[in-house]
Amino acid sequence: MSLQQDPQKILEHAKLMRERAQNEITRVRVEASTGGGMVTVRMDGNKRVLGIVIEPDAVEDIEMLQDMVRGAVNEAVRRAEAEAQQRVDRMMGGLVGRLGFPFSLAGG
């Protein structure tokens, strides 16, 4: 019986693909900097901040530092999402669209 003919196999395959996608996302690492490198944020594919580096000169103006940290974090989130989506798209090879149901990277 083919994958298209057995709904249970389709669901099992989708679950396996989702697990693989989650594993791939976990391996994503991105970095974003602002202020000419004065603030750098490292983040994983689950959008967890792995590290923040702040150059000493950035501490002189607290408001500017806050803006740079916010900007670097937001850019890191954007990059993490984009990289995770690219990896999942490559891995899935269009499978989700062919199965005809939505796929979410979120747990559940």
Side-chain angles (χ1 to χ4, degrees), residues 14 16-28 45-46 80-97 103-106:
L16 177 63
M17 294 302 288
R18 180 172 175 212
E19 289 170 3
R20 287 181 182 167
Q22 291 289 352
N23 288 335
E24 187 66 23
I25 289 167
T26 299
R27 291 193 294 269
V28 168
N46 291 313
E81 289 173 344
E83 178 66 22
Q85 189 61 55
Q86 279 183 339
R87 289 186 185 200
V88 169
D89 288 349
R90 274 194 312 265
M91 189 184 74
M92 300 296 271
L95 174 68
V96 173
F103 178 76
S104 172
L105 298 177

Side-chain angles (χ1 to χ4, degrees), residues 19-88:
E19 289 170 3
R20 287 181 182 167
Q22 291 289 352
N23 288 335
E24 187 66 23
I25 289 167
T26 299
R27 291 193 294 269
V28 168
R29 297 290 183 272
V30 297
E31 193 173 277
S33 296
T34 56
M38 293 182 78
V39 174
T40 302
V41 173
R42 286 184 306 111
M43 185 173 285
D44 70 13
N46 291 313
K47 295 180 248 170
R48 286 189 215 121
V49 174
L50 302 173
I52 298 176
V53 176
I54 300 173
E55 295 297 320
D57 291 345
V59 181
E60 294 175 10
D61 182 343
I62 297 299
E63 286 183 27
M64 183 176 74
L65 175 58
Q66 291 169 338
D67 288 343
M68 287 189 293
V69 170
R70 182 176 44 254
V73 168
N74 288 337
E75 179 61 17
V77 167
R78 188 194 66 72
R79 289 180 183 184
E81 289 173 344
E83 178 66 22
Q85 189 61 55
Q86 279 183 339
R87 289 186 185 200
V88 169

Side-chain angles (χ1 to χ4, degrees), residues 1-22 88 90-104:
M1 191 174 279
S2 76
L3 186 64
Q4 293 177 337
Q5 296 171 339
D6 186 348
Q8 184 62 32
K9 284 188 180 191
I10 291 172
L11 292 175
E12 288 172 11
H13 187 70
K15 182 178 178 183
L16 177 63
M17 294 302 288
R18 180 172 175 212
E19 289 170 3
R20 287 181 182 167
Q22 291 289 352
V88 169
R90 274 194 312 265
M91 189 184 74
M92 300 296 271
L95 174 68
V96 173
R98 289 194 307 265
L99 292 177
F101 57 87
F103 178 76
S104 172

